[in-house]
Amino acid sequence: MLFSTNSKLTTTLIICRQDFLIIADSNALTKNTFDQMWKIDQLIRAELADGDDSKFADVCTKVGTNCLMSGALGFWGFDKELYDADVKTDADLLARLSSKTYASGAAVDRSSLFSQDLVLDDDDKVKSAKCVRMQYFNDETPESVEWEASAIKQLPAEITNLALTGFVTHYLLSSSIDIELAKSVSGDISLVIAGYNLMCFYTAFVLWKCSLTKNRLGVSVMGVVSVFIGIFAGFGVCGHLAVPFTSLTATLPFILLGIGIDDMF
């Protein structure tokens, strides 16, 4: 079998993770839902490809010769033939999901696999949950980064084309947060530029005097420029020290602009 789940891994590479959450209105643990989850699995493993035609199997984190994956389909070793032979009804599905180990023998962590509304019966058997998770892992290499970037672009249309019913699919890839932060920052660049220009005009207007000795126009402009330079220097130092870039960091130009201009006066 080419794929495995939840095996122990020894590697020095950074591992990236792709999370897929299957969320239903009442209960995601039904045969109808899982039948369709295999479509998502097929999409990720066999259909998503980058410009070099690399697929998940080409960039995934390997455990031996198998790709490292985790999630609900791991009860059948990510093998649909085993699933089809094993699951005929909802009762068959719940019986398998109640197992304490995956097909590989790895222990099941129900808190990370199911949502917090997981319902168990008196015998600790799984009854229902509104959300279930699938995870796919790849090493952070140039090839896997390129594949993931391509996958992010393809996923919205591809999942729509699957025409899934009865649940919604949410996904979070390793670079999703970086992409959203980049969108947020790039969308605010025009506001930052406009803010600095406005402050330059305002300080120049306030400090300008029609006098050769009392005119402080140059001082006002240099005051704003010094704040601008300070912000870039701060980002440079943070980058050199590997300080994580967060959404709070993106607001600093506006905060420092206000504080810097206030201190200048």
Side-chain angles (χ1 to χ4, degrees), residues 20 42 53 78-79 85 110 131 134 143 159-160 176 221 256:
F20 288 80
Q42 174 70 13
D53 204 30
F78 284 84
D79 187 331
R110 288 178 174 175
C131 178
M134 296 191 297
E143 293 79 10
I159 289 181
T160 299
S176 294
V221 173
L256 295 180

Side-chain angles (χ1 to χ4, degrees), residues 163-204:
L164 306 172
T165 59
F167 62 91
V168 294
T169 305
H170 295 277
Y171 51 88
L172 177 66
L173 279 67
S174 299
S175 57
S176 294
I177 296 178
D178 293 335
I179 291 174
E180 293 304 315
L181 282 176
K183 288 181 181 178
S184 176
V185 173
S186 61
D188 291 337
I189 288 178
S190 59
L191 295 177
V192 174
I193 296 174
Y196 277 94
N197 286 331
L198 182 61
M199 281 298 177
C200 280
F201 284 119
Y202 173 73
T203 55

Side-chain angles (χ1 to χ4, degrees), residues 38-96:
W38 288 101
K39 296 181 181 179
I40 301 175
D41 179 67
Q42 174 70 13
L43 170 65
I44 298 166
R45 290 163 47 182
E47 297 178 20
L48 295 179
D50 60 20
D52 296 329
D53 204 30
S54 297
K55 297 185 178 180
F56 177 71
D58 301 315
V59 300
C60 67
T61 298
K62 292 290 198 302
V63 182
T65 58
N66 299 326
C67 284
L68 179 65
M69 302 183 295
S70 179
L73 302 185
F75 288 100
W76 301 274
F78 284 84
D79 187 331
K80 191 171 186 303
E81 291 185 359
L82 292 179
Y83 169 84
D84 290 337
D86 184 51
V87 178
K88 304 298 183 183
T89 65
D90 287 349
D92 294 336
L93 176 70
L94 294 175
R96 180 61 63 188

